[in-house]
Structures are given as C-alpha cells and as structure tokens.
Amino acid sequence: MKKAVFFPAVLVLFPAVCHAQEPAPPFKAFTDVIQTMEWILEPAAEVIWGSAGTIITAQGSQELAPTSDEGWQEVVQAAALVAETGNLLMIPGRNAGPDWQGYAQDLVDAGATALSAAQARDSDALFDAGGQIYQVCLACHTQYMAGSRDN
C-alpha cells in the first residue's frame, strides 16, 4: 500500500494563506485627485507628448525626440510617473469605483508602454504611447469631469 504525500500541497497553500492575512497598508494621501493630476500626471504626460512626433511648418520640420542621454532619461522618468499615477488613483480615498479603476489601470498600462518605448529610445512607439495616454485621460475626463471644469 502506498502512502499519500501531502507535504508539497501544504507548501503551495501556506504562502497563499499567509498572504491573505496581511493587513492593508496604511495609505496617507497628500494630494486630492485634482492636485494629483495637475501636479504629477499632467507635467509627466507633457514631457512625453513633447518628446515624440514631428512639428512641420513652412520653415521645415523638427523632430521632437530627445537627442541626448539626459533627454531620454527625462522621458523615462516621466513615463514611470504616468504609470505610478495610475496606481495612485486607485488607492482608497481616490478610487471612485469600477469605471474609475479601469481608467486608472489603463493609465498604468499606457505609462508602462511609454516607459518601454523611452527605454528603447523608440520615438514612434513613444508617439503611440502618448496617444494612448491622451485617450485614457480623455475618456476619464469625459465621464468624471463633464461640466465640472474645463477638460
């Protein structure tokens, strides 16, 4: 007669049980939603939007992509801020429900896409990520800020 071995199953379940019993971290927000967007998200998004694409005028064209290591590093940092701001918008006290959380997660994803593009110094992918960030912001503002202030 063979004996059943339960030891591996206990090892698999033990971390899940321990993790489930951890208390929630004590979040303490220092900015409200508007300040978070105006002071953190908007300046970071502006760096991304100002670092991709081409400006074409009668005098010629100008590529917006950074031309130095420092310039690309600024875009990398801005993209990380965009992604992390999505996380900030999901913490208790800022999370306005499932739609809000969906937009915030979309912002995390768009920021991560911008981060990958900036790290790869891929200005075309950065341009696309900037468009993705804009679309997330527009969708959220349309739902949550319509009529309350300028979009």
Side-chain angles (χ1 to χ4, degrees):
M1 179 167 134
K2 293 183 180 179
K3 293 185 179 182
V5 178
F6 295 102
F7 183 69
V10 172
L11 286 179
V12 171
L13 293 175
F14 183 70
V17 171
C18 289
H19 180 70
Q21 295 175 356
E22 291 179 13
F27 292 109
K28 184 175 182 182
F30 290 93
T31 59
D32 63 26
V33 170
I34 298 299
Q35 291 167 330
T36 300
M37 292 192 187
E38 289 180 354
W39 298 352
I40 302 169
L41 178 57
E42 187 176 335
E46 290 290 344
V47 168
I48 293 167
W49 294 329
S51 299
T54 306
I55 297 175
I56 301 172
T57 65
Q59 291 75 31
S61 63
Q62 174 191 1
E63 293 297 323
L64 297 176
T67 57
S68 67
D69 290 343
E70 294 81 15
W72 279 108
Q73 186 58 35
E74 183 180 357
V75 178
V76 166
Q77 292 169 348
L81 277 172
V82 169
E84 289 295 354
T85 301
N87 289 323
L88 289 174
L89 294 172
M90 288 188 268
I91 67 171
R94 292 190 182 127
N95 188 339
D99 288 346
W100 180 271
Q101 190 160 332
Y103 293 130
Q105 185 59 58
D106 290 345
L107 187 60
V108 170
D109 296 342
T113 299
L115 180 60
S116 293
Q119 289 171 326
R121 296 182 180 206
D122 184 338
S123 60
D124 291 334
L126 185 63
F127 182 84
D128 292 342
Q132 187 180 355
I133 292 165
Y134 177 79
Q135 290 301 317
V136 172
C137 293
L138 180 62
C140 186
H141 289 194
T142 299
Q143 181 169 348
Y144 289 99
M145 295 181 68
S148 65
R149 57 181 294 188
D150 294 335
N151 291 337

